[in-house]
Amino acid sequence: MECDKKYITIQQLEQHNKAGDLWVSINGKVYNVSDWSKYHPGGETPLLNLAGKDVTDAFTAYHPTTAWQYLNKFFTGYRLKDYEVSEVSKDYRNIIHEFTKAGMFENKGHTAVFTLTSVAAMFGFVFYGVLCCNSLWVHLCSAMVLGMAWIQSAYIGHDSGHYIVMSGHGWNKFVQLITGNCLTGISIAWWKWTHNAHHIACNSLDYDPDLQHIPVFAVSSRLFNSVTSSFYGRKLEFDYMARILISYQHWTFYPIMCVARVNLYIQTLLLLFSKRQVQDRTLNIMGIIVFWTWFPLLVSWLPNWSHRVMFVLTSFVVTSIQHVQFCLNHFSANVYVGPPNGNDWFEKQTNGTLDISCSPWMDWFFGH
């Protein structure tokens, strides 16, 4: 009966907004996920970013329908007394419902098979070109194909990281480790740590790590005020060095994109060998060891150092296409300061994302 239900206000919910005391609301029902947060497949950071808030839209966007059945064990018995849904959120939830009914979110097995097969074929070409040919031009073509293989592997790693490539959780994790750690040398654990935080707080200057590139780049003049990063837990100092580098970012952007992979390798190692809690740390380290075994061996097979340097640089330059694409999707969109709120989460997602219209034949090239 309605009179038997217990209620709390939004202000009371907002008091439970930290690690160890983490409550959220979904469809007006309040859940205590304090203990669960450390086991959350998407990491603890997304939950902390929305702690003490309504997370209905975010939960709907990033969880399969099967996840709803597990919510009851976290139910506090409370409901939000003043729970309201914005008109935009109502429309968003209706769209999600219609798309789900139409089967648009079902796993498309043929796409995964096609992409995995194409990646395997590209790696086969690369190894053949390096191991069986002595021509510089063949080696450069192999480097370009390797860059393309890394790009496609990253897209598969992205989609399997969202658990939408394979039918089971375990198989998705297997694909994550193969396409991420083993083939590209970029830890899927590092990707989840930053990428899930990015999704939850898309284009928030202080909550989205994908916008926090001080002292090299600044996407907003608000960063000139030395914003404190909620993600990294430190101030992004706009100091003398940042002032110099950012004043020339319109010249340095593309050259830096050409070697941006080096930063990803460094970030991977910094996380895996840090004191932070890392899910599947051992598996991630083993995958990185696989990459740093086969890639140097492959490069060492080239006949001389000029071939080796050109091979590595060419493969890195090709992958810069993907780095530029990711920057275009968000650097040119609207930004804000602070965490997203439950009723404006969808609006901030769309305001912070720029879709780029391409010809259908380019879908595969840009990860569908």
Side-chain angles (χ1 to χ4, degrees):
M1 296 177 62
E2 186 68 25
C3 59
D4 296 330
K5 295 179 179 179
K6 297 185 294 183
Y7 291 90
I8 62 172
T9 65
I10 290 178
Q11 290 72 27
Q12 289 174 307
L13 173 65
E14 289 175 346
Q15 295 174 6
H16 303 274
N17 63 353
K18 56 184 176 295
D21 183 18
L22 205 168
W23 291 16
V24 295
S25 163
I26 299 175
N27 279 340
K29 298 177 73 174
V30 178
Y31 300 93
N32 183 349
V33 293
S34 304
D35 295 330
W36 163 248
S37 62
K38 63 178 67 75
Y39 304 107
H40 182 230
E44 191 174 25
T45 301
L47 291 174
L48 290 171
N49 284 352
L50 290 176
K53 296 182 173 60
D54 178 73
V55 300
T56 306
D57 289 342
F59 183 86
T60 302
Y62 299 122
H63 294 82
T65 54
T66 54
W68 291 85
Q69 63 185 308
Y70 300 108
L71 288 177
N72 279 337
K73 62 182 178 181
F74 304 113
F75 183 44
T76 61
Y78 292 107
R79 290 171 168 81
L80 280 184
K81 183 177 182 180
D82 39 8
Y83 177 65
E84 294 182 358
V85 183
S86 69
E87 291 302 315
V88 175
S89 284
K90 287 179 183 178
D91 288 343
Y92 167 67
R93 295 174 195 181
N94 287 333
I95 289 172
I96 290 292
H97 178 70
E98 293 301 320
F99 285 0
T100 302
K101 279 199 334 182
M104 297 179 70
F105 298 132
E106 297 296 323
N107 293 341
K108 303 298 191 294
H110 63 281
T111 302
V113 171
F114 171 75
T115 307
L116 288 169
T117 302
S118 66
V119 168
M122 284 189 285
F123 273 101
F125 177 89
V126 171
F127 277 84
Y128 177 82
V130 172
L131 302 180
C132 302
C133 301
N134 292 319
S135 168
L136 172 62
W137 295 108
V138 173
H139 293 162
L140 291 178
C141 287
S142 298
M144 294 174 66
V145 174
L146 178 59
M148 288 293 302
W150 278 340
I151 289 175
Q152 293 304 316
S153 295
Y155 289 131
I156 300 172
H158 171 276
D159 292 349
S160 62
H162 284 295
Y163 295 93
I164 58 172
V165 172
M166 311 300 285
S167 57
H169 183 94
W171 281 110
N172 272 301
K173 182 174 288 189
F174 175 75
V175 173
Q176 292 168 26
L177 291 168
I178 294 298
T179 58
N181 298 54
C182 297
L183 294 184
T184 69
I186 300 169
S187 168
I188 195 68
W190 171 82
W191 176 85
K192 286 182 179 180
W193 178 50
T194 60
H195 190 71
N196 290 334
H198 155 72
H199 267 309
I200 292 300
C202 182
N203 271 33
S204 167
L205 293 176
D206 49 343
Y207 279 79
D208 183 355
D210 284 7
L211 296 190
Q212 297 172 1
H213 302 294
I214 297 288
V216 181
F217 298 136
V219 299
S220 169
S221 58
R222 288 189 238 183
L223 290 170
F224 299 167
N225 298 320
S226 298
V227 170
T228 298
S229 168
S230 173
F231 182 80
Y232 292 111
R234 59 179 173 82
K235 181 172 283 191
L236 306 175
E237 295 284 357
F238 185 68
D239 52 19
Y240 179 73
M241 180 60 68
R243 187 182 299 274
I244 293 175
L245 292 175
I246 290 169
S247 65
Y248 293 101
Q249 66 179 4
H250 56 297
W251 292 107
T252 60
F253 176 76
Y254 287 108
I256 289 175
M257 289 297 102
C258 290
V259 291
R261 290 191 78 76
V262 176
N263 177 57
L264 303 185
Y265 296 147
I266 294 172
Q267 295 299 321
T268 285
L269 297 176
L270 289 176
L271 176 65
L272 293 183
F273 294 99
S274 71
K275 295 182 180 180
R276 292 182 181 273
Q277 181 179 341
V278 179
Q279 291 183 5
D280 302 315
R281 187 193 300 268
T282 302
L283 288 174
N284 274 267
I285 292 176
M286 290 173 61
I288 295 302
I289 290 174
V290 170
F291 173 81
W292 287 110
T293 299
W294 74 258
F295 183 53
L297 284 174
L298 179 70
V299 174
S300 69
W301 198 269
L302 293 165
N304 53 59
W305 277 104
S306 61
H307 281 224
R308 292 165 192 158
V309 171
M310 285 189 285
F311 181 88
V312 172
L313 286 178
T314 301
S315 62
F316 281 15
V317 168
V318 170
T319 60
S320 69
I321 298 170
Q322 188 175 57
H323 298 304
V324 171
Q325 176 194 353
F326 291 159
C327 293
L328 283 173
N329 287 143
H330 297 288
F331 279 19
S332 301
N334 296 324
V335 298
Y336 63 97
V337 175
N341 294 310
N343 257 342
D344 70 356
W345 180 83
F346 176 69
E347 293 96 312
K348 285 179 176 174
Q349 289 283 312
T350 51
N351 279 331
T353 304
L354 190 72
D355 281 342
I356 303 169
S357 179
C358 297
S359 300
W361 67 268
M362 298 181 72
D363 284 349
W364 175 84
F365 185 80
F366 288 117
H368 304 280

